[in-house]
Amino acid sequence: MAKPAIAAVLSFSIVLLSILAQQSSSSSSFKPISSRRAPRFLGRFSTSNPHHRDRRSDQLLGYRYETRYFEQQLDHFSFAELPTFRQRYLISSEHWVGPDRLGPIFLYCGNEGDIEWFAANSGFVWEIAPSFGAMVVFPEHRYYGESMPYGSQEEAYKNGASLSYLTAEQALADFAVLITDLKRNLSAEACPVVLFGGSYGGMLAAWMRLKYPHIAIGALASSAPILQFEDIVPPETFYDIVSNDFKRESTSCFNTIKASWNALISEGQKENGLSKLTRMFRLCRELKNTEELANWLDSAYSFLAMVDYPYPSEFLMPLPGYPIREVCRKIDGCPDGTSILERVFEGVSVYYNYTGEVDCFELDDDPHGMDGWNWQACTEMVMPMSSSPDASMFPTYNFNFSAFQEECWTDFKVIPRPTWITTHFGGKDIMTTLKTFGSNIIFSNGFLDPWSGYSVTQNVSDSLVALNTQEGAHHIDLRAATAEDPDWLVEQRAAEIKLMKKWLSDYYQAKGATLLSNVETGDRAESM
């Protein structure tokens, strides 16, 4: 049986700050060190392996769109003579009622990856567009996918100088310039724009509504951790939520995973211990140290929490509904006498090998490779994370900014600016800020998603609304509707549609326009 291209998926296993210490021959536990490896969202799966690319193409076949390119300024905030670059965007006017009827434009704020992957996994936007008579636009984030300055990824990622224009501010300016030019060319200047985004894209959607209120009338920011900066929320929140997701399924499962890290170190220090671990975990090559295996396990647990959806999915890997429940069932269901590490292997195989088709697992990954998100994490996306001693099932560690800064200097010759995001977009005293300056933003979150702990989860006003679900995971509301959607998910989407209709109604009334009949009734949208 041929081995699936699992290695590419594992190359994204650094979902969050590396919390595991370097292996020590004289210590029985991990020695925590700081690392600049930023929290990973799901975006890097956008270009992972052929399986995902094939599925992305299949999903997009159901949506009719064109792929276009727009010539963007490399630097929107200076007048230096710099090369431009081609920004890719997907556009569908199939259901747009046009400028004469002030048809709305739905714009998804592209994340840190290939835009086709986000378009394929944002079925909600496509599905509600017909009932709103909306155009759909998916612009790609600069430095990702095909939207590469300097002509290629190799040149764009060459060094800190070539990467210096990769910032959230520049990306938002790209979106603003693109949509302004598009509307002008279509004589659609008066058509309202509604923003969508999930995860980092959700952060961008919320920030764009705040920074460019004249460009867009509202934003749906799903699973958007805009508060994961500079002492706003406790840094251990992410790992605590991941751990709680496991603990709610089984305390014994939680305890087994918590005990497994020391068991892993202990086994690795034995004579031929690494060889035994290699065989036990069915790895394709010999382990070099226990940290490699620990990172592999950590990634699986973290991603499982993000995609703990109530129905089977293949978003990252083929997984059953509520996959953490199945992981814990495997761990707890082993026969008496099964070791801790053997139990852990049975559990993690649900994530890495639910189909049973994998002969061996690849661990190869270059965590120090130069890529777009590592750059963003080392400049403005400084998102501290820690692991608490009691609530977390992961090894205890505290974020060390000095070590983080040293690594960023070593890799990019750049010094992080941990206060820049909150200076530029806000974040401190967010409730007062939003109430004073904001309007028309939906912050949607599922409390199984570890990123929900860094989002806005309380209503601020009638138009700044938090829609929370106890059983929801990472931006599940943006995914396409299925026959297996639970009632709470159907209700969450209906609430989002109702709020968007209100935004549009207010806009049309302010313009003195007649409200579109399909927006006014929203029959198809409300029935989804």
Side-chain angles (χ1 to χ4, degrees):
M1 181 186 302
K3 176 179 63 181
I6 237 28
V9 172
L10 297 182
S11 71
F12 312 133
S13 62
I14 45 177
V15 58
L16 25 89
L17 292 169
S18 301
I19 62 166
L20 304 172
Q22 301 288 348
Q23 183 186 8
S24 170
S25 60
S26 61
S27 172
S28 62
S29 61
F30 292 104
K31 290 182 178 179
I33 59 171
S34 171
S35 171
R36 73 167 182 80
R37 298 310 145 194
R40 289 289 177 180
F41 303 116
L42 302 179
R44 291 197 65 187
F45 282 87
S46 66
T47 53
S48 56
N49 61 35
H51 169 72
H52 285 118
R53 286 195 291 273
D54 291 344
R55 288 194 63 256
R56 178 179 66 207
S57 299
D58 291 343
Q59 288 171 307
L60 279 173
L61 284 176
Y63 311 130
R64 299 184 62 178
Y65 67 92
E66 295 179 55
T67 300
R68 297 181 186 174
Y69 296 85
F70 180 75
E71 206 71 19
Q72 281 285 9
Q73 296 290 327
L74 184 58
D75 184 3
H76 293 285
F77 306 109
S78 79
F79 292 90
E81 292 187 9
L82 295 169
T84 59
F85 72 96
R86 298 176 77 217
Q87 180 185 21
R88 179 171 57 155
Y89 67 99
L90 315 181
I91 182 170
S92 173
S93 302
E94 180 181 8
H95 303 289
W96 190 43
V97 296
D100 293 341
R101 296 178 63 190
L102 299 186
I105 299 172
F106 289 173
L107 184 141
Y108 181 96
C109 296
N111 303 46
E112 73 289 16
D114 191 305
I115 193 58
E116 287 190 342
W117 190 79
F118 295 105
N121 286 285
S122 301
F124 177 68
V125 181
W126 300 96
E127 290 169 353
I128 67 173
S131 64
F132 282 94
M135 176 189 294
V136 175
V137 184
F138 276 80
E140 192 164 57
H141 194 298
R142 58 170 53 204
Y143 286 82
Y144 294 104
E146 295 183 11
S147 301
M148 286 291 166
Y150 303 105
S152 69
Q153 180 172 322
E154 182 180 7
E155 288 299 313
Y157 289 7
K158 190 173 183 178
N159 51 45
S162 61
L163 279 165
S164 62
Y165 304 102
L166 172 50
T167 67
E169 299 89 343
Q170 297 280 9
L172 293 183
D174 288 342
F175 299 156
V177 170
L178 170 65
I179 198 67
T180 300
D181 186 83
L182 181 66
K183 290 172 70 174
R184 183 185 301 115
N185 290 337
L186 295 171
S187 299
E189 289 93 337
C191 291
V193 175
V194 177
L195 304 171
F196 297 79
S199 198
Y200 171 50
M203 298 163 72
L204 294 174
W207 288 336
M208 187 167 180
R209 169 59 186 158
L210 293 171
K211 300 295 284 189
Y212 294 93
H214 57 291
I215 297 289
I217 67 166
L220 169 56
S222 180
S223 299
I226 62 169
L227 305 181
Q228 220 270 313
F229 299 95
E230 199 198 347
D231 303 322
I232 301 174
V233 176
E236 63 270 15
T237 300
F238 183 99
Y239 278 120
D240 283 357
I241 294 177
V242 174
S243 301
N244 286 336
D245 288 352
F246 282 81
K247 198 169 190 176
R248 84 178 194 126
E249 298 294 351
S250 166
T251 301
S252 61
C253 175
F254 168 93
N255 289 334
T256 297
I257 295 171
K258 190 175 181 68
S260 69
W261 310 106
N262 282 342
L264 178 59
I265 283 290
S266 179
E267 187 63 42
Q269 290 176 346
K270 295 178 181 177
E271 186 176 357
N272 298 320
L274 293 178
S275 295
K276 183 177 178 180
L277 288 170
T278 299
R279 293 191 300 273
M280 181 186 300
F281 284 86
R282 289 172 48 191
L283 306 179
C284 297
R285 64 160 176 80
E286 190 79 4
L287 271 178
K288 298 175 183 177
N289 52 58
T290 53
E291 185 184 3
E292 290 184 306
L293 184 53
N295 286 337
W296 186 70
L297 295 170
D298 170 271
S299 297
Y301 302 142
S302 299
F303 283 133
L304 280 162
M306 282 187 247
V307 296
D308 199 20
Y309 298 136
Y311 49 72
S313 70
E314 295 189 9
F315 190 25
L316 305 184
M317 301 282 204
L319 292 172
Y322 289 120
I324 289 179
R325 184 172 300 164
E326 181 66 12
V327 170
C328 285
R329 189 183 71 81
K330 289 284 189 180
I331 288 175
D332 292 342
C334 291
D336 292 344
T338 305
S339 72
I340 288 174
L341 294 179
E342 288 170 333
R343 289 178 184 272
V344 163
F345 173 72
E346 289 298 319
V348 79
S349 292
V350 171
Y351 179 73
Y352 287 119
N353 191 23
Y354 185 63
T355 62
E357 297 176 354
V358 179
D359 292 326
C360 64
F361 299 105
E362 292 281 5
L363 294 180
D364 290 321
D365 178 29
D366 179 13
H368 300 289
M370 184 176 290
D371 64 31
W373 188 253
N374 280 341
W375 166 264
Q376 290 187 259
C378 261
T379 50
E380 59 182 7
M381 293 293 170
V382 181
M383 305 169 83
M385 300 190 79
S386 300
S387 180
S388 58
D390 300 318
S392 175
M393 67 183 190
F394 298 88
T396 303
Y397 88 107
N398 292 312
F399 179 70
N400 184 325
F401 179 74
S402 296
F404 171 93
Q405 183 172 264
E406 289 176 8
E407 291 188 37
C408 290
W409 181 257
T410 298
D411 286 357
F412 297 108
K413 295 296 185 287
V414 67
I415 297 175
R417 298 180 186 174
T419 65
W420 174 241
I421 286 292
T422 53
T423 300
H424 191 66
F425 295 116
K428 298 294 185 75
D429 193 15
I430 189 67
M431 302 298 279
T432 300
T433 300
L434 289 175
K435 182 177 289 187
T436 305
F437 300 105
S439 66
N440 293 3
I441 303 175
I442 301 168
F443 293 97
S444 64
N445 287 282
F447 286 155
L448 296 184
D449 177 18
W451 296 112
S452 66
Y454 303 106
S455 182
V456 176
T457 56
Q458 297 179 30
N459 290 343
V460 180
S461 67
D462 290 342
S463 70
L464 288 163
V465 178
L467 296 178
N468 305 315
T469 57
Q470 293 295 325
E471 298 292 304
H474 203 49
H475 52 69
I476 187 174
D477 54 321
L478 289 182
R479 294 179 57 73
T482 73
E484 299 166 294
D485 287 345
D487 290 344
W488 56 260
L489 179 54
V490 175
E491 293 167 2
Q492 181 183 26
R493 290 183 179 134
E496 293 169 352
I497 290 167
K498 183 177 180 180
L499 286 165
M500 286 186 277
K501 286 170 58 183
K502 177 66 164 58
W503 301 343
L504 290 166
S505 175
D506 291 346
Y507 176 82
Y508 291 134
Q509 289 177 17
K511 297 290 289 186
T514 301
L515 188 61
L516 301 177
S517 60
N518 57 352
V519 175
E520 185 176 23
T521 60
D523 291 336
R524 285 187 60 190
E526 289 184 346
S527 65
M528 287 181 180

